Amino acid sequence: MKPEPGSAAHQAPPAKKSYRRIATEEAFTIPEQMDVMREVVANSKEYDPDLFLWNRTLAGGTLYSRLLDVDDERLRIMDHDGVALHLLSLTSTGVQMLDADKGTALATLANDRLAETIRRHPGRYAGLATVAPQDPARAVKEIERAIHTLKLNGVIINSHTNGEYLSEPKYWPILEAVAALDVPLYIHPRSPVPAMAAAYRPDHLEHAIWGYQAETGLHALRLIVSGVFDRIPNLKIILGHMGEALPYWLYRIDDRHHRARNNKDRPLLQQRPSDYFKQNFKITTSGMNWHPVLQFCLAVLGADNIMFAIDYPYQDSDEAVAFMNTAPISEEDKEKIFHGNAERVFHIPA
Ligand code: MN
């Protein structure tokens, strides 16, 4: 009888020490982001699920100091856990809660700082550019600068901007720009759009417990059904948290999408929704250190579409590394997930 996944009999042999471990959803901040978010929090009158968390972070403590640190404790933790490289991104909500001018200016500053950090620690960091989708035209310019001049490795957007998703045509220039530059766009969570968040509020489910995944999964699904990938076939999207639950739901999405294919509210697609998910998306393991889900995603998406991530400092580095070290999967797949896919997808030198 085959042992149950996760049981002692199913454990892989102890991991060799020599993996190159690249972690692909690792957060940092700069003091200027903290300062401007302190203003936003101070000026807010009603409950906002993202500002609720910002308020906590800004109060100080381990999370605050770990987000600011890129030269010290972070590198020691990486060394201790055998993590070679963090792919850094400005922590959620990035610059997306600011007005267009402030957001664009802070994105530029954050990207400059990120490039300096990467230069200061050769081989230890890579980075995703922050942009302000509030101003799509300037966001496109910043993407081009971040990739061409700063040599960053992709772009990150924290789900909705002012309640809107990137499936809105006004944001398509951003999607066209990343595709033209052959870099991926990481769609990182934030709390749900206001209409969705209201239903989660009574039980306080609007954050990572469920709301982030519901928000970001919906965002990705709306990109798919909007026909964006027929327009921009080489657009590459990254989702964290093992694909924000979409892999589990692909069968049902295909089935219901096909049955309602004459639905006038949606464009006809050239392929099934799951085909786009397999071709245009990669997922990371951030915050989902659970072998059965990893094995399921491997079966559904294949080993070329999954990358290791910790979600430092929001999740524990040692736990994420131990999860992947002990994953009951082939050594070949483990090498792809730990570093091979990230090197290819984010153009990180091998
Ligand atoms: Mn994260």
Side-chain angles (χ1 to χ4, degrees), residues 36 39-40 43 95 98-107 132 134 138:
V36 74
E39 270 175 47
V40 174
N43 293 330
V95 301
L98 311 177
D99 66 46
D101 286 344
K102 269 191 186 170
T104 301
L106 183 61
Q134 300 90 310
R138 281 192 286 174

Side-chain angles (χ1 to χ4, degrees), residues 258-277:
H258 181 70
R259 286 168 195 257
R261 62 192 175 282
N262 295 322
N263 182 331
K264 297 282 183 291
D265 293 334
R266 293 195 297 250
L268 283 171
L269 300 182
Q270 289 168 14
Q271 302 180 73
R272 294 175 299 182
S274 68
D275 294 326
Y276 301 102
F277 198 80

Side-chain angles (χ1 to χ4, degrees), residues 56-242:
R56 277 196 187 172
T57 304
L58 291 164
T62 307
L63 195 55
Y64 183 79
S65 54
R66 285 187 167 180
L67 282 168
L68 278 167
D69 161 53
V70 284
D71 297 311
D72 214 351
E73 185 198 24
R74 182 187 299 255
L75 289 164
R76 288 200 300 278
I77 290 173
M78 289 165 68
D79 289 341
H80 179 269
D81 296 336
V83 175
L85 189 146
H86 274 192
L87 177 69
L88 295 171
S89 46
L90 190 71
T91 197
S92 186
T93 46
V95 301
Q96 289 164 249
M97 297 185 80
L98 311 177
D99 66 46
D101 286 344
K102 269 191 186 170
T104 301
L106 183 61
T108 304
L109 180 68
N111 293 335
D112 285 343
R113 294 277 174 77
L114 178 54
E116 286 164 24
T117 298
I118 295 166
R119 274 200 300 275
R120 201 158 64 240
H121 300 283
R124 301 314 303 273
Y125 295 124
L128 299 178
T130 293
V131 295
Q134 300 90 310
D135 185 336
R138 281 192 286 174
V140 166
K141 286 216 165 65
E142 180 58 14
I143 289 169
E144 288 165 352
R145 187 186 79 95
I147 303 304
H148 281 146
T149 309
L150 302 179
K151 311 291 180 200
L152 297 182
N153 305 79
V155 174
I156 190 162
I157 291 177
N158 303 287
S159 203
H160 77 85
T161 302
N162 297 322
E164 292 177 341
Y165 292 140
L166 297 165
S167 50
E168 299 286 333
K170 72 179 190 187
Y171 297 117
W172 288 20
I174 293 175
L175 306 178
E176 284 161 353
V178 293
L181 290 162
D182 188 30
V183 293
L185 170 63
Y186 205 123
I187 302 186
H188 183 278
R190 63 178 289 189
S191 300
V193 295
M196 197 201 303
Y200 293 5
R201 176 69 188 125
D203 302 300
H204 208 113
L205 296 173
E206 63 268 43
H207 299 122
I209 184 172
W210 189 260
Y212 286 4
Q213 164 271 121
E215 158 71 16
T216 316
L218 175 63
H219 193 159
L221 183 56
R222 286 193 57 183
L223 277 180
I224 292 172
V225 301
S226 73
V228 157
F229 298 101
D230 287 337
R231 274 286 194 100
I232 317 172
N234 61 333
L235 174 61
K236 285 198 209 86
I237 303 289
I238 317 290
L239 295 177
H241 314 95
M242 294 285 193

